[in-house]
Amino acid sequence: MTDAIHLPATASSRSRGPALRGLLVAESDRDISVRVDGGTWTFDRRDVVRLTADRGGADQREVQVDIRPGATADFTRRMRVELVDRPITLAPEPSEALGDDLLAKATRGWATRLRIAERGGVSGATFTFRDGINCDSLD
């Protein structure tokens, strides 16, 4: 899984966020991998502005990593896998549209991207909670 960390390209070093802190788990001429609470970040060495040792014991090397704006990184999460009769999949992220207004706004954006014309006299998206199940629908 590859995600981009979006930082403003014109930001000075003072306006950038704090350094990433974690355990250095791998270091090569190409990559640097740092384990944090949620998983492991892997950066291209060319994107690392500064790598400084933080506190830590002899067997654990805690570090702080500063990266350049616009860097691209891989993030790996550790997950438990249950073997079943279907392929391994990840559940989609939950929708940020909580409530009727946000769901209607998300639906309008989705319909616009898919070039679906709105019908007059129809209220659009609805959000209901029935029998313990969230239901999203286009009316």
Side-chain angles (χ1 to χ4, degrees), residues 111-127:
T112 300
R113 283 190 305 277
L114 293 177
R115 299 181 191 182
I116 298 174
E118 289 188 36
R119 294 185 306 175
V122 176
S123 62
T126 61
F127 176 80

Side-chain angles (χ1 to χ4, degrees), residues 91-111:
E93 292 293 324
S95 173
E96 294 180 13
L98 298 175
D100 291 342
D101 294 336
L102 289 176
L103 182 59
K105 182 179 177 182
T107 301
R108 282 191 299 276
W110 171 78

Side-chain angles (χ1 to χ4, degrees), residues 7 9 19-20 40 48-49 57-59 70 75-76 86 101 112 115:
L7 296 173
L20 174 70
T40 302
V48 175
V49 175
D59 59 336
F75 184 73
T76 307
R86 58 184 170 79
D101 294 336
T112 300
R115 299 181 191 182

